Amino acid sequence: MRVKYRTIAMMTAMCVMIITGCMKGEGHLTDNKGRIDHVAAEKTVTLTFWRNSGNNAENTAYEQLTAAFMKKHPTIKIEMTPFPYSDYDTKLRTSVAAGNPPDIMAVDAPNLASYAQAGALIPLTEHFKKDGNLEDIPLTTIEGYTYKNDIYLAPMTESSIAMFYNKKMFEAAGIPLPSRNPDEAWTWGQVLEAAVKINDPANGIYGIDPAQGFQNAGATAYFKYPIIWQFGGDVMNAEGTTARGFLDSPETKRALTFYTELFTKYKVASFEYPVDAFPNRKLGITIDGTWTLSHIAEKFPDFKLGEDFDVAPLPKGSRQAVANGSWALGISTKSKHPEEAWLFVNWMTGYEGLKLYSSVTKDIPARYSVAKEFTELNEYPKNIFVIQNQKYGRPRPITPVFPQVSEAVKNLFVEVTLEKRNLDEAIDDAISTIDKAYADSKSIAN
């Protein structure tokens, strides 16, 4: 009887062990040869991922990336939801405020501080130090995703701007062609001299569009902040708390004065340009982005790179500077699976993910190692954009009130150029607007 009871007890214990093992996600299967194989039956984790809907290439790249990741990690399911660009930030902020944000979210670099200050993002600093290969990303790029000494976003790609010029106009006017070397940018003085020689308003030809006209605040930040930086000025302090002492510095005033005089004194820039003025041969010099290369190639095939136009580094004042930062990925503080979320984010923004993404979109990857993999990014003209970002890139003001800052700076450029308002008065009003916005954000946060 003792043997019988002992046998029953042993069988019961074995059943308990098997059940317990199953509850822990582990099972045991016996094959037809009697061998026992250990099978991991891990529970599937579902992660929600929100992003802005991009062009066809970007959407295709994201679909391929998520599919590749899930194949690599079958126990992690990614539910990706793209939103139209115009609605995305509003929907994301609403979800954060309501306490039900996605696990993973795409955030545009300038919006970092507002999400970080709201406690919506988990710091990624320790993750990056552990297995994020920080040394593979330019320091100035990482600075654009850092708020109060913590990294909050993982960068994917960069976009950049440079100087496009009509080569035939330059040659006809006897103007020496700018260098293609990213480290040998023309000065704004040289650009002005060339613009004066090309300028022919009587025949509808303008010398230069220095910063894409007077567009919205986002374009202002991307195209006009660099002019301020190039002249040695700045918009805000490093902490992003005040514009006083920076937007009103002598260097910033010189930048604003030079920009204004292109329109008012030298009259080489216009307050309004024809559509596609540059490829339509109505504009001698323009400051524009990498995307313009494909636009011209597709829409204006008779306006050829190397024959009709060329690309040179962004002009400089006392220094070279270009705005960096683009869409990046962050993890919600509300996520119940932050480790799995980091696994996804790190793969997407790491070597393997970025190589796949850039091969589809042709965008500039944020990592040195990936940029080296694409021949076209290491040759003229795209090498100009790549090297500028890596060596002379700098983040736009990292502040929770970035939208208000850019709106104030946009209005400042409009007022001193279009409305011919007194420079000091316009600057003082812009500073008051920015500093009040920051003070209000602090009171709301508290």
Side-chain angles (χ1 to χ4, degrees), residues 116-131:
Q117 186 186 60
L121 298 168
I122 67 170
L124 302 178
T125 309
E126 294 307 314
H127 285 296
F128 265 107
K129 288 179 179 179
K130 181 181 178 182
D131 59 1

Side-chain angles (χ1 to χ4, degrees), residues 29-60:
L29 298 179
T30 304
D31 68 10
N32 56 11
K33 293 183 180 179
R35 288 195 302 264
I36 295 184
D37 294 328
H38 179 77
V39 178
E42 298 177 27
K43 183 179 179 181
T44 298
V45 169
T46 299
L47 299 173
T48 53
F49 171 34
W50 285 14
R51 65 176 180 85
N52 63 306
S53 181
N55 56 38
N56 290 336
E58 291 168 343
N59 293 335
T60 298

